[in-house]
Amino acid sequence: MPPKRSKTNPSKRSFQPLPSNTCWVENDAYDRRVWQHLRAEAPSLSELEQNGSMFLPHFASLLQDIFSLLFKYNVAFHDVNDVLPSALLNQTFLDGVRRGGQYEILREQTLLNEAHAGLSTLILGERLLGIIREQKLLSQRDLRDLWDIQQQEELVGRKMEEYENADTIPEDQLSDEGKKALKKAKEKMAGEVQGAEALLRHKAAQLKQDLKQIESQASKRLQAESIKVAQELEDASEEAETWGNAIGTGERSPPGQKLELGKRLAGNEKLKKLARMVGRMKLQSLALRKKVFERASEEVLEVEQGDSIHRLLPHELLSLHHPVLRKDFYRRFLDQELIQYSLRGVEEKGKGPMIVCLDGSSSMSGDKEIWSKAVALTLLDIARRQRRLFRSICFSSAETPLQVLDMNPRDRYQVESKTVMDLAEYFPGGGTDFQTPLDAALDCLRESRFKKGDIIFITDGECQVNKEWAEQFRKEKDKLGFSLFSVLIDVGPASLGTLQEFSDRITTIKQLTGEGAKEIFLDF
């Protein structure tokens, strides 16, 4: 007996659904997770995505495609029929990036490297957005056509959904007139779907012709931009490594933070010069401390992750005798994730918080700013190593709000890279007022967390204070029992007069090669 055929509606028309892809590069769950984590950790990527989406449909998908193009080991593209027509321009951009030898050069730095691939995506995305804004490849009419195609796609989707919903209405409960009316409505909807589809195909075909005309120009322009991105990425990577060595934060930075660091360092000569200066000062301070504490006693403080074999917990060493756990041991050793003891020496005990007042007035511009921030960041490194709280107060005129940053409030006194960059880049300029930041420092010392702290005041001394205020400040200093150490930035015009009214000790930048360095980097 032949099988029964299922009942179908012979009058029902079937329409090809629109593609669901807006990305051209095939990606799996891992690729999408890496990209989402990177976007969450890097505000610059999210900001670029929002700005670009105002000019170009599916700009977010374009950024994800660029990232996949640079990050993935095996890059495969969707068929043109599997991607929405409104994303055709993205294909032109991606083809332009891939052509030429610069793509392979760039991939050598970005392959399976989240931070490098993300930074390259950010830089290249900003260049593309600039090209779109300036209308160097696409005219205003071309961009309007892209948005029209996206709107037409949405219209086709709605018409198809209406047609499918109409087919779900049960005809058994309708009268003959109702059935005729429903059939007529379905035919009308089908005609609307066909018309919308035809218009979409026409607009998509016209867009393909328009894109062919700019294909050669876009390819040359994007190849040139890719070469610049490769060079910027290499420079940013070198500067980020220099910055990390000079100004360590005591933490592992996730890829998104590395991306932000590379973006802020790229082309910033002030930060490059500051990193070199801090590196030299840090080596000097470590050398002084090594001479004094090279035989200092140490004690077990806590448990941490690392790769120091001589400080491993016993159960970690047992893993070496197991055939399976041994491989996991080697992996965690390379990733510095073994469980070990953390030691604390005598030099990490008994010193209070640091409150650093940093002069950011106009007279501190240029080399003075570099020297002052180099001293501040070197002191921050010492505070982190000694597990001491560190608050920075950057000041200028009385009208300018203070920049107050708690640099290491986290567990184990780790420092966030973003906070360090905020301190390094901020320079308000303007006049100079000593009283406001010192009053803020007094308020800080009255807090329970900063009791028994001391103040470091870094300035060129170009300011005056009221005698009544100076007298009251000295009384408060005696009451709270703190010391005030002033560092005079004397690489240009400078004055000692005002600092002598409220400072316990004063050293100058020119003295940092001798006893002055010992006083500030060791004794304080």
Side-chain angles (χ1 to χ4, degrees):
M1 184 175 181
K4 294 183 179 180
R5 295 183 179 180
S6 59
K7 294 182 179 181
T8 59
N9 187 354
S11 63
K12 177 176 173 58
R13 303 182 187 180
S14 60
F15 297 100
Q16 183 68 28
L18 290 176
S20 58
N21 291 322
T22 56
C23 289
W24 286 92
V25 181
E26 295 182 3
N27 51 68
D28 54 24
Y30 172 76
D31 301 325
R32 292 189 291 272
R33 185 169 64 251
V34 169
W35 173 246
Q36 294 301 326
H37 285 175
L38 199 60
R39 285 179 63 257
E41 294 170 353
S44 297
L45 275 177
S46 300
E47 182 181 356
L48 173 62
E49 183 179 302
Q50 293 177 359
N51 294 335
S53 298
M54 298 172 60
F55 292 88
L56 191 69
H58 312 303
F59 189 83
S61 299
L62 175 60
L63 292 180
Q64 185 175 352
D65 277 339
I66 294 174
F67 176 78
S68 300
L69 203 64
L70 300 174
F71 175 75
K72 287 173 62 68
Y73 191 84
N74 293 316
V75 178
F77 278 75
H78 290 291
D79 186 81
V80 66
N81 296 321
D82 296 331
V83 183
L84 284 173
S86 56
L88 281 172
L89 179 61
N90 292 4
Q91 184 189 34
T92 302
F93 286 152
L94 295 172
D95 289 341
V97 173
R98 286 195 302 161
R99 291 174 182 171
Q102 82 290 334
Y103 172 60
E104 294 301 328
I105 296 174
L106 187 57
R107 263 177 67 87
E108 289 179 1
Q109 303 180 64
T110 61
L111 185 63
L112 301 181
N113 188 318
E114 299 174 29
H116 286 185
L119 180 57
S120 299
T121 302
L122 178 63
I123 298 174
L124 194 54
E126 289 177 341
R127 299 286 176 83
L128 284 173
L129 182 56
I131 292 173
I132 295 170
R133 280 173 170 168
E134 297 168 7
Q135 300 180 15
K136 293 183 178 180
L137 290 177
L138 298 169
S139 64
Q140 188 70 28
R141 184 183 66 83
D142 295 329
L143 293 175
R144 190 164 52 248
D145 289 344
L146 284 170
W147 287 107
D148 288 344
I149 290 177
Q150 187 191 40
Q151 291 177 357
Q152 190 64 29
E153 290 169 348
E154 295 174 354
L155 177 62
V156 171
R158 288 198 301 270
K159 294 296 182 182
M160 285 186 178
E161 185 178 359
E162 291 173 0
Y163 182 76
E164 294 293 335
N165 291 338
D167 193 60
T168 61
I169 298 176
E171 297 184 8
D172 298 339
Q173 302 177 7
L174 298 177
S175 63
D176 292 339
E177 293 182 358
K179 292 178 181 180
K180 291 179 181 180
L182 178 61
K183 182 179 179 181
K184 188 176 180 180
K186 287 181 181 180
E187 291 177 351
K188 181 181 178 181
M189 291 180 185
E192 291 176 350
V193 173
Q194 285 181 324
E197 282 185 329
L199 182 57
L200 176 60
R201 286 194 298 269
H202 173 73
K203 289 186 175 183
Q206 184 62 45
L207 177 62
K208 287 182 180 180
Q209 293 180 3
D210 295 340
L211 292 180
K212 284 183 179 179
Q213 297 178 4
I214 67 168
E215 185 175 359
S216 177
Q217 182 184 0
S219 179
K220 293 178 181 178
R221 185 64 184 268
L222 291 172
Q223 287 179 40
E225 295 295 343
S226 298
I227 294 174
K228 295 178 183 177
V229 170
Q231 184 60 49
E232 285 191 28
L233 177 62
E234 184 177 357
D235 294 342
S237 300
E238 292 178 359
E239 294 302 330
E241 184 177 356
T242 302
W243 182 268
N245 293 335
I247 310 172
T249 59
E251 64 173 354
R252 287 187 180 183
S253 300
Q257 290 186 14
K258 292 180 181 178
L259 186 157
E260 291 292 328
L261 176 61
K263 180 179 182 295
R264 297 174 78 166
L265 286 174
N268 194 322
E269 294 299 326
K270 182 178 80 172
L271 294 182
K272 294 177 184 178
K273 189 174 181 180
L274 178 59
R276 291 191 291 270
M277 182 76 72
V278 175
R280 291 195 293 268
M281 282 194 183
K282 182 177 176 181
L283 290 175
Q284 184 182 6
S285 67
L286 290 176
L288 286 170
R289 292 171 56 76
K290 183 177 180 181
K291 291 178 181 178
V292 177
F293 295 112
E294 59 186 356
R295 295 191 178 184
S297 60
E298 293 180 320
E299 63 181 5
V300 175
L301 176 63
E302 57 188 359
V303 174
E304 63 180 5
Q305 290 184 329
D307 59 353
S308 299
I309 300 297
H310 63 287
R311 292 194 279 119
L312 293 181
L313 268 63
H315 77 272
E316 291 283 20
L317 296 174
L318 291 175
S319 302
L320 290 173
H321 297 280
H322 194 281
V324 177
L325 295 180
R326 185 186 303 119
K327 295 180 180 179
D328 180 65
F329 178 92
Y330 293 151
R331 179 192 63 79
R332 291 188 293 118
F333 175 74
L334 293 175
D335 292 339
Q336 297 181 334
E337 294 180 350
L338 297 173
I339 306 301
Q340 64 185 31
Y341 294 113
S342 172
L343 301 180
R344 177 176 64 179
V346 174
E347 69 272 23
E348 295 179 343
K349 303 176 184 176
K351 293 190 176 182
M354 291 186 189
I355 303 170
V356 174
C357 297
L358 187 63
D359 191 346
S361 60
S362 297
S363 63
M364 291 287 291
S365 62
D367 288 341
K368 287 185 178 181
E369 180 192 1
I370 301 299
W371 275 103
S372 62
K373 290 180 176 177
V375 173
L377 292 175
T378 304
L379 291 172
L380 172 60
D381 180 71
I382 293 173
R384 180 183 64 83
R385 292 173 182 274
Q386 295 181 342
R387 300 178 183 274
R388 303 166 66 180
L389 289 174
F390 188 104
R391 174 172 289 184
S392 166
I393 302 176
C394 186
F395 65 92
S396 57
S397 62
E399 297 78 17
T400 304
L402 301 174
Q403 185 208 44
V404 181
L405 298 173
D406 284 328
M407 304 299 294
N408 58 350
R410 305 171 59 191
D411 294 339
R412 299 176 62 189
Y413 302 92
Q414 292 178 344
V415 182
E416 290 186 354
S417 299
K418 181 183 180 300
T419 312
V420 177
M421 297 296 292
D422 290 341
L423 171 62
E425 289 185 317
Y426 182 71
F427 187 75
T432 311
D433 173 43
F434 285 175
Q435 297 177 192
T436 302
L438 287 173
D439 286 339
L442 286 177
D443 293 338
C444 177
L445 290 171
R446 295 187 183 103
E447 298 178 16
S448 59
R449 296 178 69 240
F450 286 88
K451 283 185 177 180
K452 299 182 180 180
D454 295 298
I455 300 174
I456 300 97
F457 199 76
I458 306 174
T459 180
D460 60 359
E462 299 285 330
C463 183
Q464 300 293 326
V465 296
N466 296 329
K467 292 184 178 179
E468 295 80 6
W469 177 90
E471 180 64 27
Q472 182 63 30
F473 182 82
R474 286 192 291 268
K475 290 181 180 178
E476 289 293 325
K477 185 153 65 75
D478 295 337
K479 178 181 178 180
L480 296 174
F482 67 89
S483 299
L484 194 150
F485 193 114
S486 292
V487 181
L488 183 67
I489 309 299
D490 59 344
V491 293
S495 173
L496 273 173
T498 304
L499 295 179
Q500 292 174 339
E501 296 185 31
F502 53 76
S503 301
D504 295 296
R505 288 178 289 174
I506 301 175
T507 189
T508 66
I509 286 297
K510 294 179 180 178
Q511 294 174 329
L512 284 183
T513 56
E515 289 299 317
K518 183 178 179 181
E519 285 185 346
I520 187 171
F521 294 145
L522 185 58
D523 297 340
F524 194 79

